[in-house]
Amino acid sequence: MPLGTALTVTYASDRGPRTHNADAYATNGRRTFVVADGVGDSVSAVEAAHAAAQAASLLTDPVAAILAARDAVQVHSGDAVIVVAVARPDGGFDVAWAGDARAYASDGEDLVQLTTDHTVAEYFRERGVVPQPRLEHIVTNTVRHATRENIGRAATRASRLVLASDGVYGPLGHNGIEAILAGHVSADRLVRAALYAGGTDNATALVVS
């Protein structure tokens, strides 16, 4: 979708059963979209996620945005994972991430996961080893440890993009997100569905179309 075309953006976040909502989202209103998920359930995680999201939203290169987020969290004791999407002038999105916050692309029917989780589970999976479920939640990269070399990158020509924390995609799974996006699309529907499905984490989604 060319930048001259107005983008519709919805976003929602819920603390769920946690003590703190350590998820954060941010956008510069037109081009850059961010979801960050603080590591842990603490005030320091909240501060790190918000600092990372706000810093990243100021830039229009997704990799540079994550490096800016890394610099922003250095004055905080907490850490976060992050996914950043930037709308391209000729349509579609460039995406970068550190950790296990995800980006999905949709054409209204099929859903494609653009990101690959930076987790111990994914490390073993890529090497043909079936990981134990608990390893899905152990990240191998975060905002604080992001470098130009270890930041994930992807791109899509799809006109609809979803950024989500694990509190959304964990309870819903790929099929659940795909089914919801086939109807009336809103971030609030994704968040509410994740919590209704038994989510035990903060749940945050940002939908651009």
Side-chain angles (χ1 to χ4, degrees):
M1 181 180 295
L3 281 184
T5 304
L7 296 173
T8 299
V9 185
T10 63
Y11 35 81
S13 185
D14 195 287
R15 177 170 57 88
R18 294 291 186 97
T19 301
H20 304 278
N21 188 352
D23 283 358
Y25 57 82
T27 173
N28 64 4
R30 187 151 182 239
R31 283 199 68 184
T32 304
F33 310 96
V34 185
V35 165
D37 180 354
V39 177
D41 183 15
S42 65
V43 172
S44 62
V46 174
E47 293 173 346
H50 283 269
Q54 290 299 321
S57 71
L58 299 177
L59 299 180
T60 55
D61 174 272
V63 172
I66 293 179
L67 294 176
R70 178 195 65 190
D71 293 342
V73 302
Q74 299 307 314
V75 299
H76 299 279
S77 60
D79 202 351
V81 298
I82 194 168
V83 59
V84 180
V86 175
R88 293 201 303 260
D90 61 343
F93 300 88
D94 291 320
V95 177
W97 70 96
D100 62 349
R102 289 184 183 178
Y104 296 88
S106 172
D107 59 6
E109 294 183 3
D110 296 323
L111 184 72
V112 176
Q113 182 179 329
L114 299 174
T115 53
T116 302
D117 295 342
H118 293 156
T119 61
V120 174
E122 190 60 33
Y123 173 87
F124 283 117
R125 199 174 286 117
E126 289 174 352
R127 288 156 179 78
V129 178
V130 178
Q132 297 178 9
R134 64 182 179 82
L135 300 181
E136 301 286 355
H137 306 291
I138 303 176
V139 294
T140 57
N141 196 19
T142 63
V143 171
R144 186 176 293 278
H145 298 98
T147 66
R148 191 168 292 276
E149 292 72 31
N150 67 21
I151 291 170
R153 298 167 173 84
T156 179
R157 296 286 299 179
S159 59
R160 181 178 297 164
L161 194 75
V162 177
L163 307 183
S165 67
D166 60 352
V168 169
Y169 68 74
L172 293 179
H174 190 98
N175 291 341
I177 296 174
E178 187 173 60
I180 291 170
L181 292 181
H184 174 68
V185 181
S186 76
D188 185 62
R189 286 191 69 207
L190 288 168
V191 168
R192 285 189 288 109
L195 295 175
Y196 183 78
T200 59
D201 200 350
N202 308 147
T204 299
L206 188 153
V207 178
V208 188
S209 58

